[in-house]
């Protein structure tokens, strides 16, 4: 049974079926989307028992010739780094679909693009052939363009094309770097990541640095690492809620994943060379991201900038080049996906009711919307790194890992945590506490659909916070292997 | 005259063109469409024949002024394929006067036959004659809508520019004769000197005109805008690709690029062509002009493969050429359908197309995405091979210019996608799509998707047909 193929391509089948359905049959379209995203999620969960936590090797490998004349293979597999991310993706897509039930305009096209997007995202984490990776990587662009451009906010069209061009610029340089790796390998040339990783010893430092920079450019835009983060606030703010969730929860992870999977393993010398710069970028991401978030009055924009800040923790953890740092980075990816996903959903909840996201427009909402206030507080606390919740584990491990190598950088970055706490607490205070703004006196609390999409995320946040061993066990062996231990 | 039999397909096609022309005299105007059918069936028959003998060694050989090899056979297939598709588009193009159907389709066949001679020529004079056959038929075809001022203007500009570049080409050939003492390519043994270099540069410029390579691309937008859409489609694909085949034969196999060090010249022209094409296309408001500049840019990508001068580069050119037929014909077919229905090729005609004709809008988008080189469509595979040939040859800057240009091109291709999917339609006018256009579009989209997802058969076929006989 080719499990990874099922996980990756089940949504594609769904998308094709949706394409054949008449556009008036909204219920049928939604059902099909759920069935196939569900198949993908269940199949990925079904892989859990069979996943061997004791080995760093690739598992569930599938390898077929795709374009043998050019050395391209259909080569899929997962290890402790990618498998948690595959689970995150399939899970968040189902959450995103629940949140998408509110979409009323052009439903057929929406779910079609959503499922195509899911294929691309899962594929990126499973592909072990560089061209296959690139194809999946680019496959996310077109659906995202339409999802932002058709169903987004007031400046959606500009946001969509900016996102597309920005990301494409990065990825074409990544493509050139991939081609350079291809020709640098010994004949017969291959795009096989695992084979290429064995050849790195023969490549000169300058070559590795150049290739690394090409790859990094593509990844950095996706992460987004300073100074390539400027597309993110716009895209996040303009995208419809479910798409913001997917963007934050999964798409940003593609960049960090690529950094670990491709840059580190294929250009280790280039990676080492870049580390001092990476630390600086991480610190800027953390501090600058937090300060930008603090300056926002739009809640969604604030959460978007908090993503820049959180991705900075990932980069800091990676730059530490220690087991703790790497573990922290991967864990942070998972926890950020869950927490920020929930935050975007909750911001969407209030926006749907009040049609504004201005922080200062509210006040005293905790009285009227107790459930909403509770969930929002929980996720905000998780996001600012309160111990006992998922965010803390990731951030703590990132700092722990980085502190061993970069003491000053870690020290400065702690300031970022304070700023993060500040803007989240200010938001909670202005929106939920104080005197009730009479304008919102009859806002209804969360509906069942909204609860169904947010509560699982909240539960996971608590679960991962108090019992992080389970996800950590999944990734430990692989991370030790990546660091050559 | 050795091995005249090798040119039988071309000869038969030209004869069939004459037959169509003769039949025109006897077919009543009301039934003139039958001539289109006769023409496209003739081309399809020759296409089938050529395609079936593609790998047959008995169909290959060297003649006095020509050689038929897998390489030329491959380009004959692309040319004939384009011709068939464009004639099918012509069947659904209402602006063409019925009474001239015979002339129109005969000229298409002559032009195609000329291109088939061109890709086989191993003699500069034969190349010149073949190019003139193509050019003269194309001039007439461009001005075929006699009541349309733009059509006349385009034909006039095309003609003037064509005459000028023919003169350049002939001058180059005469210098070449002076330096080498022959116009036969294989016999070239002259020592490289200033005269020979000048000759080669002039010949290159003559070719650049046909392939719409900068700085000889100025006729392209006007001619493409004015010409009847099926002719635009034909001009943007067949002569361009055949000229690239001739370029590869002349400069790739007979004179190795490095022997005269024209690599840098090729690279600069490639970079210039892509950049000019893409950056000018961004400002177009007419769909045909936009695609005209896009086709200039596409010629630039193809030229990268030639500049690399390696077997991989040649494979890239061939693969991309084949894919280019599908994506460009597909795009123009949709544009023809929309333009004819709305009476205007302005970009605003595409507003809200997805509301009325989702299939048409999606097809055009697939073709445009493929032209932009977005995976997993066929255009990506072509660009992948072409860019990798540049990387392999160490032309880093050229590869970088190429990929940056691909990003720029997304901007204007998506300007159309943006109108089709994001805007509201301006009117409720129905857009009728003829059966033949529909078939052409379907074929193109299937090709774009199929060769994108599973390019192996095409790549293997290309690899088997790279052989050039001297």
């Amino acid at each position: 049974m080719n499990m990874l193929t099922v996980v990756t391509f089940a949504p594609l089948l769904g998308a094709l079926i949706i394409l054949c359905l008449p556009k008036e049959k909204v219920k049928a379209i939604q059902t099909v989307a759920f069935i196939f995203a569900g198949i993908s999620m269940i199949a990925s969960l079904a892989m859990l028992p069979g996943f061997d936590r004791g080995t760093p090797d690739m598992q569930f490998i599938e390898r077929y010739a795709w374009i043998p004349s050019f050395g391209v293979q259909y080569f899929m597999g997962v290890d402790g780094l990618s498998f948690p991310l595959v689970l995150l993706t399939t899970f968040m897509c189902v959450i995103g679909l629940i949140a998408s039930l509110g979409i009323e305009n052009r439903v057929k096209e929406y779910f079609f693009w959503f499922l195509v997007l899911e294929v691309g995202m899962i594929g990126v984490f499973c592909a072990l052939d560089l061209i296959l990776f690139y194809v999946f990587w680019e496959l996310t662009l077109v659906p995202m363009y339409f999802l932002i451009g058709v169903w987004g906010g007031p400046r959606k069209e500009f946001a969509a094309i900016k996102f597309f061009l920005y990301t494409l610029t990065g990825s074409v340089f990544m493509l050139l770097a991939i081609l350079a790796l291809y020709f640098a390998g010994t004949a017969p040339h291959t795009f096989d990541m695992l084979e290429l990783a064995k050849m790195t010893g023969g490549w000169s430092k300058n070559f590795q640095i150049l290739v690394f920079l090409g790859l990094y450019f593509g990844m950095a835009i996706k992460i987004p690492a300073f100074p390539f983060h400027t597309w993110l606030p716009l895209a996040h703010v303009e995208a419809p809620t479910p798409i913001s969730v997917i963007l934050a929860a999964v798409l940003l992870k593609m960049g960090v994943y690529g950094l670990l999977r491709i840059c580190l393993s294929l250009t280790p010398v280039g990676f080492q060379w870049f580390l001092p710069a990476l630390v600086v970028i991480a610190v800027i991401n953390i501090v600058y991201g937090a300060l930008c978030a603090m300056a926002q009055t739009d809640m969604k924009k604030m959460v978007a900038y908090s993503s820049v800040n959180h991705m900075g923790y990932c980069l800091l953890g990676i730059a530490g080049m220690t087991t703790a740092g790497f573990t922290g980075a991967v864990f942070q990816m998972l926890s950020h996906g869950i927490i920020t996903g929930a935050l975007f959903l909750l911001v969407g909840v209030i926006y749907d009711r009040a049609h504004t996201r201005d922080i200062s427009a509210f006040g005293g909402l905790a009285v009227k919307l107790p459930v909403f206030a509770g969930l929002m507080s929980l996720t905000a606390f998780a996001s600012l790194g309160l111990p006992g919740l998922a965010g803390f584990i990731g951030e703590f491990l990132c700092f722990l890992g980085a502190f061993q190598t970069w003491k000053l950088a870690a020290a400065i970055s702690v300031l970022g945590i304070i700023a993060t706490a500040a803007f989240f607490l200010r938001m909670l205070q202005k929106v939920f506490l104080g005197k009730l703004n009479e304008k919102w006196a009859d806002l209804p609390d969360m509906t069942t659909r909204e609860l169904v999409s947010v509560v699982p995320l909240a539960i996971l946040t608590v679960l991962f916070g108090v019992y992080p061993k389970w996800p950590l066990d999944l990734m430990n062996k692989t991370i030790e292997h990546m660091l050559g231990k | 005259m050795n091995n005249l039999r090798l040119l039988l397909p071309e000869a038969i096609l030209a004869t069939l063109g004459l037959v169509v022309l003769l039949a025109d005299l006897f077919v009543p105007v009301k039934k003139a469409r039958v001539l289109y059918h006769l023409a496209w069936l003739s081309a399809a028959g020759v296409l089938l024949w050529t395609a079936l003998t593609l790998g047959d060694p008995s169909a290959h050989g060297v003649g006095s002024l020509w050689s038929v090899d897998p390489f030329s056979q491959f380009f004959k297939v692309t040319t004939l394929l384009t011709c068939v598709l464009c004639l099918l588009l012509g069947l659904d193009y209402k602006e063409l006067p019925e009474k001239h159907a015979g002339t129109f389709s005969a000229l298409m066949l002559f032009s195609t036959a000329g291109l088939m001679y061109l890709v086989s020529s191993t003699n500069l004079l034969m190349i010149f004659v073949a190019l003139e056959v193509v050019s003269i038929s194309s001039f007439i075809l461009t001005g075929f809508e006699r009541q349309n001022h733009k059509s006349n203007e385009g034909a006039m500009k095309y003609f003037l520019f064509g005459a000028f570049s023919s003169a350049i080409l002939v001058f180059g050939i005469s210098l070449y004769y002076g330096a080498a003492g022959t116009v036969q390519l294989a016999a070239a043994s002259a020592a490289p000197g200033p005269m020979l270099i000048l000759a080669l540069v002039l010949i290159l410029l003559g070719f650049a005109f046909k392939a719409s390579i900068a700085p000889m691309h100025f006729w392209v937008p006007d001619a493409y805008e004015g010409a009847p859409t099926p002719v635009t489609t034909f001009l943007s694909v067949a002569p361009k690709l055949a000229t690239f085949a001739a370029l590869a034969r002349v400069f790739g196999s007979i004179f190795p690029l490095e022997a005269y060090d024209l690599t840098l010249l090729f690279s600069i022209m490639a970079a210039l062509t892509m950049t000019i094409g893409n950056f000018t296309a961004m400002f177009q408001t007419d769909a045909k002009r936009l695609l005209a500049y896009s086709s200039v840019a596409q010629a630039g990508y193809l030229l990268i493969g030639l500049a690399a001068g390696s077997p991989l580069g040649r494979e890239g050119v061939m693969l991309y050429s084949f894919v280019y037929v599908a994506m460009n014909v597909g795009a123009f077919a949709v544009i023809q359908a929309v333009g004819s229905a709305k009476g205007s090729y302005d970009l605003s005609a595409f507003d809200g197309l997805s509301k009325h004709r989702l299939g048409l809008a999606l097809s055009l988008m697939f073709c445009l995405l493929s032209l932009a080189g977005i995976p997993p469509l066929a255009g990506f595979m072509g660009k992948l091979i072409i860019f990798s040939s540049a990387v392999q040859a160490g032309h880093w800057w050229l590869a970088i210019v190429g990929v940056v240009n691909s990003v720029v091109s997304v901007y204007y291709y998506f300007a159309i996608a943006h109108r089709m999917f994001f805007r509201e339609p301006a009117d409720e006018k129905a857009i009728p799509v003829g059966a033949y256009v529909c078939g052409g579009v379907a074929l193109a989209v299937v090709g774009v998707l199929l060769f994108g997802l599973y390019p192996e058969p095409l790549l293997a076929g290309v690899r088997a047909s790279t052989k050039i006989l001297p």
Side-chain angles (χ1 to χ4, degrees):
Chain A
M1 186 78 172
N2 292 333
M3 286 307 280
L4 283 176
T5 302
V6 174
V7 172
T8 311
F9 290 102
L12 185 67
L13 193 61
L16 294 178
I17 293 175
I18 286 178
L19 210 54
C20 304
L21 291 172
K23 60 182 166 201
E24 295 79 23
K25 303 217 166 181
V26 175
K27 276 270 171 286
I29 290 169
Q30 289 169 343
T31 317
V32 170
F34 270 103
I35 289 174
F36 285 91
I39 289 177
S40 186
M41 185 177 84
I42 292 165
S44 64
L45 287 174
M47 284 163 63
L48 257 180
F51 185 82
D52 182 358
R53 283 143 217 249
T55 166
D57 293 335
M58 286 294 163
Q59 304 181 38
F60 298 99
I61 285 182
E62 294 167 29
R63 191 198 285 267
Y64 302 99
W66 180 23
I67 317 174
S69 313
F70 202 52
V72 182
Q73 305 169 37
Y74 176 80
F75 183 19
M76 308 271 271
V78 286
D79 62 359
L81 172 62
S82 46
F83 189 49
L85 292 168
V86 172
L87 290 174
L88 176 75
T89 309
T90 54
F91 175 68
M92 290 309 292
C93 280
V94 173
I95 297 288
L97 280 177
I98 297 173
S100 303
L101 290 176
I103 299 278
E104 284 158 1
N105 179 27
R106 295 166 78 174
V107 176
K108 175 175 162 175
E109 289 170 68
Y110 179 88
F111 284 98
F112 171 74
W113 289 123
F114 192 102
L115 290 179
V116 175
L117 176 67
E118 185 176 356
V119 178
M121 294 188 303
I122 302 174
V124 163
F125 296 128
C126 300
L128 293 177
D129 180 282
L130 287 171
I131 293 295
L132 189 64
F133 175 85
Y134 185 78
V135 168
F136 281 127
W137 178 280
E138 296 279 86
L139 193 60
T140 58
L141 289 188
V142 179
M144 211 46 166
Y145 172 78
F146 283 102
L147 287 168
I148 297 177
V150 177
W151 293 273
R155 294 171 69 207
K156 55 191 180 181
E157 292 169 9
F158 177 62
I161 193 75
K162 184 171 179 183
F163 165 79
F164 198 121
L165 291 179
Y166 217 125
T167 325
L168 187 66
T169 312
S171 34
V172 291
F173 282 94
M174 191 167 84
L175 180 65
L176 287 185
I178 289 174
L179 290 175
L181 287 174
Y182 174 72
F183 288 113
T186 44
H189 297 308
T190 176
F191 286 106
D192 183 334
M193 287 183 205
L194 306 183
E195 285 300 315
L196 284 171
K198 292 177 193 155
M199 301 176 192
T200 51
W203 298 338
S204 72
K205 185 177 176 190
N206 285 341
F207 172 79
Q208 290 207 24
I209 289 174
L210 278 176
V211 171
F212 172 82
L213 288 177
L215 293 170
Y216 176 75
F217 189 45
M219 310 299 178
I221 287 178
K222 209 70 163 193
I223 290 174
F226 181 87
F228 306 118
H229 66 284
T230 52
W231 63 270
L232 178 119
L234 186 68
H236 263 315
V237 171
E238 298 307 322
T241 302
I243 301 309
S244 298
V245 173
I246 296 295
L247 200 56
V250 186
L251 244 70
L252 306 188
K253 308 305 175 297
M254 286 165 49
V256 182
Y257 169 77
L259 202 59
L260 288 173
R261 167 72 75 224
I262 296 181
C263 295
L264 178 63
S265 68
L266 298 188
T267 55
V269 178
F271 197 86
Q272 279 290 347
W273 170 83
F274 194 72
L275 275 183
L278 193 66
V279 171
V280 175
I281 291 169
V283 173
I284 296 178
N285 252 38
I286 293 171
V287 177
Y288 175 76
L291 292 178
C292 280
M294 205 185 245
Q296 304 306 321
T297 52
D298 181 331
M299 274 192 257
K300 207 170 180 185
K301 216 165 184 174
M302 189 194 81
V303 179
Y305 272 112
S306 84
S307 287
V308 176
N309 161 274
H310 282 94
M311 287 296 110
Y313 297 135
C314 285
L315 292 180
L316 190 69
I318 291 171
M321 290 296 276
T322 51
T323 318
F326 273 34
T327 314
V330 181
F331 195 89
Q332 173 74 0
M333 283 199 257
L334 298 178
S335 61
H336 173 263
I338 295 164
I339 297 167
T340 310
L343 275 174
F344 273 116
L345 286 173
L346 289 164
V347 172
V349 167
I350 191 78
Y351 183 72
D352 284 345
R353 285 164 175 63
H355 301 288
T356 176
R357 294 183 298 248
D358 192 348
I359 293 177
S360 45
F362 299 99
L365 281 191
V367 187
K368 282 286 151 194
L369 307 157
V371 180
F372 176 71
L375 285 169
M376 187 66 142
S377 312
L378 178 79
T379 42
F381 283 130
S383 190
L384 62 82
L386 192 75
L389 297 171
F392 171 73
I393 312 284
E395 286 174 26
F396 175 73
L397 286 172
C398 284
F399 276 106
L400 187 67
F403 191 73
Q404 300 168 20
T405 337
W406 312 95
K407 296 204 166 46
L408 182 64
I412 301 173
S413 303
V414 176
L415 293 176
I417 294 202
I418 299 171
T420 316
F423 68 75
F424 271 120
L425 291 175
R426 189 189 58 138
M427 187 266 284
L428 290 178
Q429 181 214 339
K430 285 201 170 178
V431 175
F432 295 112
L433 307 178
K435 199 169 151 289
L436 176 66
N437 185 341
E438 287 307 322
K439 198 175 162 196
W440 314 118
D442 43 340
L443 279 191
D445 209 339
M446 291 174 75
T447 62
T448 321
R449 176 174 68 72
E450 289 160 351
L451 284 174
V452 169
S453 63
V454 178
V455 169
L457 298 176
I459 294 174
L460 278 181
T461 309
V462 179
L463 213 59
F464 282 4
V466 291
Y467 190 67
K469 186 173 176 303
W470 180 78
L472 290 177
D473 272 352
L474 274 182
M475 59 185 84
N476 271 344
K477 280 286 173 222
T478 308
I479 283 167
E480 284 170 10
H481 176 73
M482 279 162 66
L483 286 159
K485 284 178 187 164
Chain B
M1 289 286 183
N2 297 322
N3 277 333
L4 195 58
R5 64 171 178 91
L6 293 174
L7 294 182
L8 213 51
E10 290 88 324
I12 288 178
L13 189 71
T15 318
L16 285 168
L18 289 173
V19 170
V20 171
L21 209 52
L22 265 179
D24 191 21
L25 296 173
F26 304 103
V27 176
V29 176
K30 272 184 195 161
K31 298 201 169 156
R33 283 169 73 83
V34 95
L35 295 169
Y36 280 120
H37 290 293
L38 186 59
W40 81 259
L41 282 173
S42 334
V46 179
L47 170 64
L48 203 62
W49 181 11
T50 320
L52 288 178
T53 56
L54 197 60
D56 180 6
S58 70
H60 304 148
V62 182
S64 326
L65 305 174
W66 54 85
S67 69
V68 177
D69 41 38
F71 182 76
S72 64
Q73 295 278 81
F74 182 86
F75 277 96
K76 282 175 196 174
V77 169
T78 61
T79 307
L80 284 163
L81 192 62
T82 317
C83 175
V84 172
L85 288 171
C86 294
L87 281 167
L88 289 177
L89 292 189
L91 270 166
D92 276 335
Y93 191 69
K94 300 286 178 286
E95 284 82 345
L96 285 179
E98 295 264 300
K99 60 179 173 182
H100 295 311
T103 328
F104 180 83
S105 33
L107 282 170
M108 289 283 276
L109 292 187
F110 291 149
S111 184
T112 309
L115 291 171
M116 290 170 74
Y117 285 119
L118 176 65
V119 297
S120 284
S121 307
T122 56
N123 180 295
L124 285 171
L125 273 186
M126 168 110 165
I127 287 179
F128 179 71
V129 172
L131 268 179
E132 286 306 288
V133 171
V134 180
S135 296
I136 292 168
S137 3
S138 314
F139 298 150
I140 308 174
L141 284 171
T142 305
F144 219 80
E145 287 179 44
R146 276 185 292 177
Q147 307 301 323
N148 181 339
H149 292 299
K150 279 194 171 165
S151 183
N152 288 326
E153 182 197 337
M156 185 54 87
K157 282 188 179 166
Y158 187 16
F159 171 70
L160 289 176
F161 218 92
F164 173 64
S165 60
S166 294
I168 291 181
L169 181 61
V170 172
F171 188 48
I173 294 173
S174 65
L175 284 179
Y176 178 83
Y177 183 72
T182 172
V183 284
Q184 194 69 21
L185 289 172
S189 56
M195 187 147 100
L196 192 62
I197 298 275
L198 184 61
L200 292 180
V201 170
L202 291 178
I203 293 173
L204 179 59
L205 286 179
F207 279 134
F209 162 75
K210 270 276 133 201
S212 69
I213 293 168
M216 305 291 276
H217 67 283
F218 293 104
W219 60 278
V220 172
D222 290 310
Y224 282 23
E225 188 191 1
T229 315
V231 177
T232 311
T233 317
F234 185 75
L235 287 183
S236 71
V237 180
K240 192 189 298 263
L241 300 182
T243 312
F244 268 99
L247 266 175
R249 185 181 291 279
V250 175
F251 290 93
S253 74
I254 285 89
F255 316 110
L257 283 183
E258 55 274 36
Y260 299 94
D261 205 21
L262 291 177
T263 315
L264 189 63
L265 185 65
F266 266 80
S267 310
I268 292 173
M269 283 171 83
L272 210 60
T273 310
M274 287 184 289
T275 314
I276 290 177
N278 280 323
F279 279 89
T280 325
M282 280 165 74
F283 302 105
Q284 302 307 315
T285 53
D286 181 284
K288 274 163 94 176
R289 277 184 93 87
L290 187 145
L291 274 200
Y293 279 110
S294 122
S295 86
V296 171
Q298 302 287 336
Y301 301 131
L302 283 167
L303 204 54
I304 295 180
L306 287 190
S310 57
L312 189 64
R314 193 189 290 164
E315 280 169 27
V317 171
M318 293 171 75
L319 182 77
Y320 201 67
S321 299
F322 196 83
V323 169
Y324 180 73
V325 174
M327 54 200 189
N328 223 39
V329 171
F332 267 113
V334 177
I335 285 176
Q336 175 187 323
V338 174
S340 296
K342 301 262 180 178
S344 145
Y345 288 94
D346 194 84
L347 285 184
S348 60
F350 292 87
D351 284 0
L353 185 65
S354 69
K355 295 256 165 40
H356 293 314
R357 285 272 180 186
L358 185 61
L360 215 53
L362 276 179
S363 305
L364 180 54
M365 203 190 64
F366 278 134
C367 292
L368 293 177
L369 282 174
S370 177
L371 283 167
I374 304 288
L377 298 168
F380 167 71
M381 291 299 167
K383 274 191 182 160
L384 179 67
I385 310 276
I386 284 187
F387 290 150
S388 48
S389 74
V391 169
Q392 188 189 31
H395 301 325
W396 276 101
W397 69 271
L398 194 56
I400 291 174
V401 172
V403 294
V404 170
N405 264 291
S406 304
V407 177
V408 173
S409 72
V410 166
Y411 179 78
Y412 61 82
Y413 289 131
F414 269 69
I416 299 184
H418 170 262
R419 282 175 180 276
M420 291 193 300
F421 288 92
F422 295 174
R423 299 257 175 117
E424 290 299 318
D427 52 38
E428 294 297 310
K429 209 188 270 180
I431 297 168
V433 183
Y436 298 101
V437 167
C438 212
V441 171
L443 207 62
V445 171
V446 167
V448 164
L449 284 173
L450 187 70
F451 293 129
L453 293 172
Y454 190 53
E456 178 58 24
L458 182 61
L459 193 56
V462 161
R463 192 155 284 183
S465 357
T466 47
K467 197 172 166 219
I468 293 186
L469 293 174

